[in-house]
Amino acid sequence: MADHAVASGPTKFETHPSRYKHWALNVDGEIATLKMQVDSDHPHKPGYELKLNSYDLSVDIELADAIQRLRFEHPQVKCLVFAADLDRVFCSGANIYMLGLSTHSFKVNFCKFTNETRIYLEDASANSGFATLAACKGTTAGGGYELALACDEIALVDDGNSAVSFPETPLLAVLPGTGGLTRLVDKRRVRRDRADVFCTTAEGIKGKRAKDWGLVDHVVARSAWDKTVGDRAKALAAKQTIVRGPAIELPPLNAKLESDTLSYKFVTLKIDRAARTGELTIRGPEASDTELDANTWSLRAFRELDEALLRLRFDMSEIGMVTVRTVGDHKLVQQHDERLAKAAESNGFAREIRLLQRRVLKRYDNTARSFYAVADTPSSCFAGSLLELALGADRFYMLIDGDEKIGVSVSVANTGFFTMSSGLSRLDARFYGDPERVRAVLGQDAFVPSEQAEKLGIATIAADDIDFADELRIAVEERASLSPDALTGMEQSLRFVGPETLETKIFGRLSAWQNWIFTRANSTGEHGALTLYGQPTRPQFQWSRT
Amino acid sequence: MADHAVASGPTKFETHPSRYKHWALNVDGEIATLKMQVDSDHPHKPGYELKLNSYDLSVDIELADAIQRLRFEHPQVKCLVFAADLDRVFCSGANIYMLGLSTHSFKVNFCKFTNETRIYLEDASANSGFATLAACKGTTAGGGYELALACDEIALVDDGNSAVSFPETPLLAVLPGTGGLTRLVDKRRVRRDRADVFCTTAEGIKGKRAKDWGLVDHVVARSAWDKTVGDRAKALAAKQTIVRGPAIELPPLNAKLESDTLSYKFVTLKIDRAARTGELTIRGPEASDTELDANTWSLRAFRELDEALLRLRFDMSEIGMVTVRTVGDHKLVQQHDERLAKAAESNGFAREIRLLQRRVLKRYDNTARSFYAVADTPSSCFAGSLLELALGADRFYMLIDGDEKIGVSVSVANTGFFTMSSGLSRLDARFYGDPERVRAVLGQDAFVPSEQAEKLGIATIAADDIDFADELRIAVEERASLSPDALTGMEQSLRFVGPETLETKIFGRLSAWQNWIFTRANSTGEHGALTLYGQPTRPQFQWSRT
């Protein structure tokens, strides 16, 4: 099985509607339409065709780009309609042959990315004033139905044929991998016994029954289709109260990749392939710039971090241990954070920047690599929004310097807006069930040197010059020597303390079961159903239940 | 790898303190002590020795028996102290060689059973007026520390040597398998970055630091050990307010196993090995007996069901699809339920029976088999506490008979006491977010025939004589033909809708990650750390992160 990253070079996460191969984005006043028109001849990797509006990573990268641009570049849009160019197929889900050809690591990261993108649709609807409508005029199967489930409303054509379905379990011996099971029962509240019938009925459910069971919101005759979809889109748009804008265009990030260093304006990721470690550095703002624009630090640095995390996930699968450093001026970060938070009260663009920062920090929490934040020079800058990177890391190492120039500072960015998937702020998660300690940290108006940061519970380990470098080096080497699988499971369990949400259920529960199932012979073994899909040979199962 | 069940015949879950090989139970007034004294020469299966108070299924079966007996037979006990016979080792966790020799299915079911037993300790403390104290006078590693984490308080001897530890990730490339990660951060609220350090430090943490980090509650010098442990036990006992009793002795269940039928007084499990299906039948009470005693139906039938479920899990691993039928008189079940609920207001024994029924129903929810409840004869008896079996099943098939003799009835048993692991009642989970429908069901004073039960949302499928038998037969055959792994993941996702708790996190999130990790080459492959444990060869890891 080919490792996508090694085989095909760096994954390109940057795109633009003018270059889309698989979607057509059309904006018409308050209504935008994303028409799925997957080009079967342009898969992400050679080896399979993207027939029947099936998708792969390339298709999903364009989708993620479109959602982001709608938020920033088209603030007038209040409803996004998903449609398709085929007459009898809305979307047939993730491409099975692509899955069959992919490594386990790629499959898992592909599912994680598509899950994040689906959650961004729900985030846009909840926080950014644009609703989503899935206009399913034809077969809506597997990941196609999961895309629909992430929308606010689902319309299904009533043509005696078109059904929604989850054929994954009966046909492929896997689970719907993009949150479908959780959204069925938790979001749409489909009765669990009906969900059971639905998820084991390969041909799916159509027409009146699909509506009665709550699988879709509207079943619509072909003759009434265009009008009904248009009316529903207008009705959803009319309900929106959150105002975005002013519009800004998202400039390209233009990452540079030179040997083992990926660099952007504010973000650098340097890897050591032999040691299987990486060094991620995020630089703070250079000045207290006066205008909010497309190049403002808060937006640009976090967009860069987002892409660097995706490249780490997809293209550097053996880099398991990453140190995270920051460089800059504490005061400037605090100024940017405070100004942004204030502006966000009345300015939709500022609000969008904060929401983007929140999503990027969630992507960081959800990246299956060990992160050790490190503050070891006076130029380090774990302040405000950058302090979140230390709070989200598995450990935070701080050097105690005689001058007390190394430390942390808090800002409005730490007070609760930047929630994790669990709904807790990173400080609330760190001091779970102990709000006094959260208040003690947030009460620090001044710069907090390392020793004090350790006392407050911010630093995991603070040490002076004599011990620091050795202690950190040994910790990094030790971490890089441990089983990557065990670390992923351990980190998932320790990072997400406390309450569970749809998001944590999808990433922590559903994905873990899917990971397990992907490794089982019954799906991906020689005689497994995923392996044999499309071939005349029937799968042979090992019957032991676990 | 040997399948334990096939190799060694039926697993014996019934035991008695007089026959314990691995524990000594001592009751002294309000304080009971369970001293771990694992007999290394009596493992559950030949092939390994249980050195250093390491445990296997046999050890845990005795532990589960002891907890159950303390609840029913020793109502005066208000604190249970865990101790050990060795001077320098409390417990070194699950036996690694046993794990290395076990099938995946056995490992997963072993972890599930040990998890249930740990949760029963917490249940006893929360609901039955007996607290638990782990008196760790020596090394407390892995599953040994997980047992301690399930207790209300942990005392660790301060001898410069004894530590608590989770060596699983660094030494074995797996996770602590018995809820340890979740209890560290969610229950004991150990800071996540400290938990990260702890879980990757094979030698563990001892003394003052163990207390400062919240890993233990007391660190105690050897000279003060006996007195401090005694004092803490008395203090915990003094805090208890819930009264159990009167004492009753739990009689043996005396299951009979004849070819493919396991039978008890009220419960029968008949399997068809070729079809990989089973038929579970639970009979209702025979009379409205007037006294609550050890043989009362509510206690005996649920104890039998509990053991049958364990036998299904451990000894019939290929039986993936089980139909669940009930036989009896609706009115008698309702009478038993109502009488028991009323008695429980003032009678501790009655209360214990209800708590046991609740635990058994949770065990049913958490059994990785497809359950279809079936009401297809007028003698069927899905009433009250037995109706919970239909509500907990993946589907409920009901025959619509002309006479309307087939149906369901509700009782006080359906109104909320019998919570699932999520904290929801099975009716609340069925109609998640729709309390009106729950009220509509609970408002049914009379017998509800099948057709009406379908309208109310109780039956998944109700059909008349012409279709019923064929429809059920096909549904059972289809289910038995699907991949057992995909079904386990699907059922776990659909059954536990709504809120998450420590329990659902342990069974749904932590266990899923552990299942995945158990299948990975890095733990159980030829060069994996679990496989090579105790051998001079170092494991070789595949480094790709997922």
Side-chain angles (χ1 to χ4, degrees):
Chain A
M1 291 198 281
D3 186 315
H4 282 60
V6 173
S8 61
T11 307
K12 289 178 184 58
F13 290 94
E14 283 212 273
T15 184
H16 186 273
S18 63
R19 302 197 298 275
Y20 290 175
K21 290 193 164 60
H22 307 297
W23 297 90
L25 174 62
N26 178 56
V27 175
D28 182 9
E30 294 190 341
I31 312 292
T33 305
L34 259 176
K35 190 183 280 182
M36 195 173 204
Q37 48 185 37
V38 176
D39 178 352
S40 66
D41 297 334
H42 281 92
H44 183 66
K45 277 263 304 165
Y48 54 92
E49 288 177 78
L50 292 173
K51 289 188 180 169
L52 296 173
N53 271 351
S54 62
Y55 64 83
D56 69 358
L57 183 59
S58 288
V59 179
D60 236 68
I61 286 173
E62 293 182 4
L63 173 59
D65 181 77
I67 300 169
Q68 192 91 297
R69 289 186 193 278
L70 284 167
R71 300 180 82 132
F72 284 100
E73 302 185 358
H74 303 282
Q76 79 278 22
V77 170
K78 294 185 174 173
C79 181
L80 167 62
V81 180
F82 283 97
D85 66 330
L86 302 173
D87 195 44
R88 301 284 168 180
V89 176
F90 171 70
C91 169
S92 58
N95 188 279
I96 313 302
Y97 301 102
M98 176 276 291
L99 288 175
L101 287 168
S102 300
T103 60
H104 181 66
S105 168
F106 180 85
K107 275 201 288 286
V108 170
N109 278 294
F110 169 70
C111 289
K112 190 179 280 184
F113 179 73
T114 57
N115 267 313
E116 286 168 332
T117 308
R118 306 301 173 277
I119 285 171
Y120 293 172
L121 287 173
E122 292 168 327
D123 179 67
S125 171
N127 301 304
S128 290
F130 80 87
T132 45
L133 169 65
C136 306
K137 197 179 173 191
T139 299
T140 301
Y145 182 47
E146 288 179 302
L147 176 61
L149 283 169
C151 294
D152 294 303
E153 288 192 7
I154 306 172
L156 176 66
V157 70
D158 192 13
D159 60 2
N161 191 47
S162 296
V164 293
S165 65
F166 276 157
E168 285 88 343
T169 297
L171 290 191
L172 306 170
V174 298
L175 301 184
T178 321
L181 298 180
T182 303
R183 285 200 179 83
L184 264 189
V185 291
D186 277 273
K187 180 181 178 182
R188 294 196 62 94
R189 300 179 175 184
V190 173
R191 235 171 59 203
R192 52 165 286 205
D193 57 328
R194 286 175 162 175
D196 182 278
V197 172
F198 174 66
C199 295
T200 51
T201 303
E203 67 273 22
I205 290 182
K206 63 194 174 193
K208 183 170 175 303
R209 181 179 254 197
K211 181 157 191 297
D212 288 349
W213 284 24
L215 299 166
V216 305
D217 299 290
H218 315 283
V219 284
V220 184
R222 287 187 86 83
S223 57
W225 183 255
D226 291 343
K227 179 170 181 339
T228 307
V229 168
D231 288 351
R232 284 314 307 159
K234 279 183 212 133
L236 283 167
K239 285 201 288 186
Q240 303 310 309
T241 55
I242 296 172
V243 176
R244 299 196 305 291
I248 65 104
E249 203 171 318
L250 293 171
L253 298 176
N254 297 325
K256 267 191 288 187
L257 184 61
E258 288 173 299
S259 69
D260 285 333
T261 303
L262 175 70
S263 51
Y264 303 83
K265 183 168 182 208
F266 296 110
V267 172
T268 307
L269 176 59
K270 186 166 180 252
I271 62 172
D272 178 338
R273 289 189 189 271
R276 298 185 307 278
T277 58
E279 294 182 0
L280 180 66
T281 306
I282 302 100
R283 283 172 293 283
E286 290 158 353
S288 53
D289 53 20
T290 45
E291 269 185 83
L292 272 183
D293 63 23
N295 285 306
T296 194
W297 173 82
S298 307
L299 175 56
R300 173 126 199 152
F302 279 78
R303 284 180 68 213
E304 292 176 356
L305 175 59
D306 203 31
E307 214 215 33
L309 290 170
L310 290 174
R311 295 247 198 147
L312 175 65
R313 288 187 189 174
F314 280 94
D315 295 349
M316 309 171 195
S317 73
E318 295 202 351
I319 307 301
M321 166 67 237
V322 178
T323 52
V324 181
R325 286 181 173 81
T326 51
V327 176
D329 180 327
H330 284 239
K331 288 261 179 281
L332 287 178
V333 174
Q334 289 171 314
Q335 279 173 19
H336 276 251
D337 290 346
E338 305 289 348
R339 189 192 52 169
L340 194 66
K342 189 144 180 46
E345 290 168 15
S346 57
N347 177 311
F349 171 50
R351 192 160 194 282
E352 277 306 315
I353 297 176
R354 296 196 93 201
L355 289 166
L356 178 133
Q357 289 178 315
R358 180 161 82 186
R359 292 195 298 279
V360 175
L361 290 167
K362 284 186 187 182
R363 179 108 76 193
Y364 174 70
D365 297 331
N366 236 328
T367 296
R369 306 302 158 96
S370 301
F371 290 116
Y372 289 177
V374 180
D376 55 356
T377 77
S379 64
S380 128
C381 182
F382 285 103
S385 49
L386 295 183
L387 177 59
E388 292 291 306
L389 294 170
L391 299 173
D394 297 298
R395 303 183 187 177
F396 185 19
Y397 284 83
M398 297 189 78
L399 173 64
I400 300 175
D401 57 330
D403 299 342
E404 300 206 329
K405 298 274 188 195
I406 302 175
V408 300
S409 3
V410 299
S411 83
V412 65
N414 311 115
T415 58
F417 185 83
F418 294 120
T419 46
M420 303 176 67
S421 297
S422 62
L424 298 181
S425 76
R426 283 174 194 76
L427 274 176
D428 286 338
R430 191 172 199 81
F431 302 115
Y432 180 56
D434 196 351
E436 276 304 317
R437 305 207 67 174
V438 175
R439 277 194 287 272
V441 172
L442 292 178
Q444 305 293 316
D445 296 330
F447 179 85
V448 182
S450 298
E451 202 166 356
Q452 169 74 353
E454 188 186 34
K455 286 198 188 111
L456 284 167
I458 295 296
T460 311
I461 286 151
D464 61 23
D465 236 353
I466 303 168
D467 300 317
F468 187 86
D470 270 354
E471 185 157 348
L472 177 62
R473 183 182 52 77
I474 291 166
V476 167
E477 283 175 11
E478 276 184 358
R479 188 68 155 217
S481 76
L482 300 183
S483 162
D485 310 320
L487 287 177
T488 292
M490 186 191 91
E491 290 158 5
Q492 264 288 341
S493 298
L494 300 181
R495 289 179 185 174
F496 299 97
V497 65
E500 299 258 350
T501 63
L502 190 79
E503 287 182 41
T504 64
K505 278 189 158 189
I506 287 171
F507 291 117
R509 171 186 273 268
L510 185 53
S511 298
W513 287 108
Q514 179 72 305
N515 283 6
W516 174 65
I517 290 161
F518 273 150
T519 63
R520 300 286 282 165
N522 288 337
S523 62
T524 54
E526 188 188 351
H527 307 292
L530 192 63
T531 308
L532 295 174
Y533 181 76
Q535 296 179 36
T537 321
R538 294 272 305 158
Q540 292 169 35
F541 291 142
Q542 296 171 6
W543 292 112
S544 203
R545 264 279 195 154
T546 44
Chain B
M1 291 198 282
D3 187 316
H4 281 61
V6 173
S8 61
T11 308
K12 288 176 184 61
F13 290 93
E14 283 213 274
T15 183
H16 186 273
S18 63
R19 302 197 297 277
Y20 290 174
K21 289 193 165 57
H22 307 296
W23 297 89
L25 175 61
N26 178 56
V27 175
D28 181 8
E30 294 190 342
I31 314 290
T33 304
L34 259 176
K35 189 183 282 182
M36 195 173 204
Q37 49 185 36
V38 176
D39 178 352
S40 66
D41 297 333
H42 281 92
H44 183 65
K45 277 262 304 166
Y48 54 91
E49 287 178 77
L50 293 172
K51 288 188 179 167
L52 296 174
N53 271 351
S54 62
Y55 63 83
D56 70 356
L57 183 59
S58 288
V59 179
D60 236 70
I61 286 172
E62 293 182 3
L63 173 59
D65 182 78
I67 299 169
Q68 192 91 296
R69 287 187 195 276
L70 285 167
R71 299 180 82 130
F72 284 100
E73 302 185 359
H74 304 281
Q76 80 279 20
V77 169
K78 294 185 174 173
C79 181
L80 167 62
V81 180
F82 283 97
D85 66 330
L86 302 172
D87 194 43
R88 301 284 167 179
V89 177
F90 172 69
C91 169
S92 58
N95 188 278
I96 314 300
Y97 301 101
M98 175 277 292
L99 289 174
L101 288 167
S102 300
T103 60
H104 181 66
S105 167
F106 179 84
K107 274 200 288 289
V108 170
N109 278 294
F110 168 70
C111 289
K112 189 178 280 184
F113 179 72
T114 57
N115 267 313
E116 287 168 333
T117 308
R118 305 302 172 276
I119 285 170
Y120 294 173
L121 287 173
E122 291 168 327
D123 179 66
S125 172
N127 301 304
S128 289
F130 80 87
T132 45
L133 170 65
C136 306
K137 197 180 173 190
T139 299
T140 301
Y145 182 47
E146 288 179 302
L147 176 60
L149 283 169
C151 293
D152 294 302
E153 288 191 9
I154 307 173
L156 176 66
V157 70
D158 190 14
D159 59 3
N161 192 49
S162 296
V164 294
S165 64
F166 276 157
E168 285 88 343
T169 298
L171 290 190
L172 307 169
V174 299
L175 300 184
T178 321
L181 298 180
T182 304
R183 285 198 179 85
L184 264 190
V185 290
D186 276 271
K187 180 181 178 183
R188 295 195 63 94
R189 302 180 174 184
V190 174
R191 236 171 59 202
R192 50 165 286 205
D193 56 329
R194 288 175 162 174
D196 183 279
V197 172
F198 174 66
C199 295
T200 50
T201 302
E203 66 273 23
I205 290 181
K206 63 193 174 194
K208 182 170 177 300
R209 181 179 253 198
K211 181 158 192 294
D212 288 347
W213 286 22
L215 299 166
V216 305
D217 299 290
H218 315 284
V219 284
V220 185
R222 288 187 85 83
S223 58
W225 183 257
D226 290 345
K227 179 169 184 337
T228 307
V229 168
D231 288 350
R232 284 314 307 159
K234 278 183 211 134
L236 283 168
K239 285 202 287 187
Q240 304 308 311
T241 54
I242 297 170
V243 176
R244 300 195 306 288
I248 66 102
E249 203 171 319
L250 294 171
L253 299 176
N254 297 326
K256 267 191 287 187
L257 182 62
E258 286 171 302
S259 68
D260 285 333
T261 303
L262 175 70
S263 50
Y264 302 83
K265 183 166 184 208
F266 296 110
V267 172
T268 307
L269 174 61
K270 187 167 180 251
I271 63 172
D272 179 337
R273 290 188 187 271
R276 296 185 309 277
T277 58
E279 293 182 2
L280 180 65
T281 306
I282 302 98
R283 283 171 293 283
E286 290 159 352
S288 53
D289 53 19
T290 45
E291 269 185 82
L292 272 183
D293 62 22
N295 285 306
T296 194
W297 173 82
S298 307
L299 175 57
R300 173 128 200 150
F302 279 78
R303 286 181 66 214
E304 292 176 358
L305 175 59
D306 203 32
E307 213 215 35
L309 290 170
L310 290 174
R311 296 247 198 149
L312 175 64
R313 287 186 189 175
F314 280 94
D315 296 348
M316 308 169 194
S317 73
E318 296 203 349
I319 306 302
M321 167 68 235
V322 178
T323 52
V324 180
R325 287 180 172 81
T326 51
V327 176
D329 181 326
H330 284 237
K331 288 261 180 281
L332 287 178
V333 174
Q334 289 170 313
Q335 279 173 21
H336 277 250
D337 290 344
E338 306 288 348
R339 190 194 50 168
L340 194 65
K342 192 149 176 41
E345 291 168 15
S346 57
N347 178 310
F349 171 51
R351 191 159 193 280
E352 278 306 315
I353 296 175
R354 295 196 94 202
L355 289 166
L356 178 134
Q357 289 178 315
R358 180 159 83 184
R359 293 194 298 279
V360 175
L361 290 167
K362 284 185 186 183
R363 178 109 76 194
Y364 174 70
D365 296 331
N366 235 328
T367 296
R369 307 302 159 94
S370 301
F371 290 116
Y372 290 177
V374 180
D376 55 356
T377 77
S379 64
S380 129
C381 182
F382 285 102
S385 49
L386 294 184
L387 177 59
E388 291 291 306
L389 294 170
L391 298 173
D394 297 298
R395 303 182 187 178
F396 185 19
Y397 285 84
M398 298 189 77
L399 173 63
I400 300 174
D401 58 329
D403 299 342
E404 300 207 329
K405 297 275 190 198
I406 301 175
V408 300
S409 3
V410 298
S411 83
V412 65
N414 311 115
T415 58
F417 185 83
F418 293 121
T419 46
M420 303 175 68
S421 296
S422 62
L424 298 180
S425 76
R426 283 175 193 74
L427 274 176
D428 287 336
R430 192 175 199 79
F431 303 115
Y432 180 56
D434 196 351
E436 275 303 316
R437 305 208 67 174
V438 175
R439 277 194 286 274
V441 172
L442 292 178
Q444 306 292 317
D445 296 330
F447 179 87
V448 182
S450 298
E451 202 165 357
Q452 170 73 354
E454 188 186 32
K455 286 197 188 111
L456 284 167
I458 295 297
T460 311
I461 287 151
D464 63 22
D465 236 352
I466 302 168
D467 300 316
F468 186 86
D470 269 355
E471 184 156 351
L472 176 62
R473 182 183 52 76
I474 290 167
V476 167
E477 284 174 11
E478 276 185 356
R479 188 68 155 215
S481 76
L482 300 184
S483 162
D485 310 319
L487 287 177
T488 292
M490 185 190 92
E491 290 157 6
Q492 264 288 339
S493 298
L494 300 180
R495 287 178 185 176
F496 298 97
V497 66
E500 299 259 349
T501 63
L502 189 81
E503 287 182 42
T504 63
K505 277 190 159 189
I506 287 171
F507 290 118
R509 170 187 273 267
L510 185 55
S511 299
W513 287 108
Q514 179 73 302
N515 283 5
W516 173 64
I517 290 162
F518 273 151
T519 63
R520 300 287 281 164
N522 288 337
S523 62
T524 54
E526 189 187 348
H527 306 292
L530 192 62
T531 309
L532 295 175
Y533 181 75
Q535 296 180 37
T537 322
R538 295 270 306 159
Q540 291 169 35
F541 291 142
Q542 297 171 4
W543 293 113
S544 205
R545 264 279 194 153
T546 43

